[in-house]
Amino acid sequence: MAYDDTRESLIGNSVEASNQPKDKSNAVQRRRHRRNSASVDNIPEQNGTEPHLLESTKEPTFRKILIVLAAYLGVGSFGFFLLRNQLSGKKTNGLLDALYFCVVTMTTLGYGDLVPSSTLAKLLASAYVFAGMALGGLILSKAADYILEKQEVLLARAMHMNEKVGPAEIQKEVEAHKIRYKFLTSLALLLVLTVLGTVFLSVVEKFKFVDAFYCVCATMTTLGYGDESFSTTGGRIFAVFWILASTVCVAQFFFYFTEMYTENRQRSFIKWVLTRNVTCSDLEAADLDQDKVLSAAEFVVYKLQEMGKISKEDVTAILERFQNLDVDHSGTLTSSDLIQSRN
């Protein structure tokens, strides 16, 4: 019954629209054109203001992330600094070694160049690593998302450098291919961090090029064999920042790679659904009211179900909600229907 009411309402509106006088139809089209033109004209303004609005809302969140991360590392560093004599391995500076150990533990890298040797230190490390996996992963992923979003527009501009493309078109391009630009941005950052780490290990830690690249790969993937690691004071200062950035960047890279692959598969499937030939069995399946005539509304609902966007249960629930609001059973909703439905 709910399908019939909606179908009759949609068909009725379509018939009325087709029976309108030509001049009235043209007037409606002109109004729509003006509305669309106005919205297009406003795009540069919106795109000019939206980034500022996004920055104003995201920058405080980013600051909170940095504060929480600093507090987490600060508390951990202070604890392991107090237990510095209960850590064994290659040591440089007490406070720096504690901070370095916190970063290596939080990222589950586990080089093995510094290890807890007492019961108390082992218990603290056990608690710290679980807290780091839960809290650190969330904090660093949010921070990485923020940095990637800041770089998306710059990447889009660089890709269209030789074209006359304005800010509005750039913003549209980024929104339309958001996952693609996130993937490319994370790939670019990953390459920069790989080169930076390899050069640093070669110059400062005096590694051979192959050993430096090997250590970079083992670190970025949190493999951490431990045969190669940062052992100098300057190396560990660099490692504190570089390990955090590189491990998160790798995780983001593979995440967006998987998401982009899934999105491409979904687009291909949707394209197949929309372009494949419609058979008689499709007509029977889509004919909700079994009148052997397929309306536009029934066709849309069937295709959305085929794409997996909605289920038949979703449609039924929505139509039941509509029927409850349609107090006068006219097939349309008015303000009087809404007022009566509240009473």
Side-chain angles (χ1 to χ4, degrees), residues 33 36 48 63 71 122 138 149 157 176 187 244 287 314 321:
H33 176 72
N36 292 335
R63 283 197 294 269
K122 290 178 180 178
L138 177 63
E149 288 176 5
R157 285 175 180 167
L187 175 60
L244 288 173
D287 189 11
D314 296 330
R321 176 59 177 163

Side-chain angles (χ1 to χ4, degrees), residues 39-56 153 157 166-172 175:
S39 62
V40 171
D41 293 338
N42 288 332
I43 286 177
E45 182 178 351
Q46 291 175 354
N47 289 332
T49 56
E50 275 187 6
H52 297 295
L53 292 174
L54 289 174
E55 288 177 5
S56 64
V153 175
R157 285 175 180 167
E169 287 76 12
I170 291 292
Q171 192 69 24
K172 280 184 180 179
E175 290 300 324

Side-chain angles (χ1 to χ4, degrees), residues 204-218:
V204 178
E205 295 286 343
K206 306 301 180 182
F207 285 7
K208 294 180 180 179
F209 177 79
V210 174
D211 292 337
F213 181 71
Y214 162 77
C215 182
V216 165
C217 293

Side-chain angles (χ1 to χ4, degrees), residues 96-113:
L96 176 60
D97 289 342
L99 179 59
Y100 171 76
F101 180 76
C102 286
V103 172
V104 171
T105 302
M106 184 180 70
T107 56
T108 68
L109 183 56
Y111 280 132
D113 52 353

Side-chain angles (χ1 to χ4, degrees), residues 311-329:
S311 65
K312 190 172 182 179
E313 291 74 17
D314 296 330
V315 177
T316 303
I318 293 170
L319 291 177
E320 286 178 356
R321 176 59 177 163
F322 179 86
Q323 197 172 26
N324 292 334
L325 293 173
D326 186 16
V327 178
D328 57 4
H329 305 291

Side-chain angles (χ1 to χ4, degrees), residues 50-51 65 122 166 196 200 205 234 258 269 274 281 315:
E50 275 187 6
I65 289 171
K122 290 178 180 178
L196 182 63
F200 183 89
E205 295 286 343
T258 305
F269 177 70
L274 294 176
S281 60
V315 177

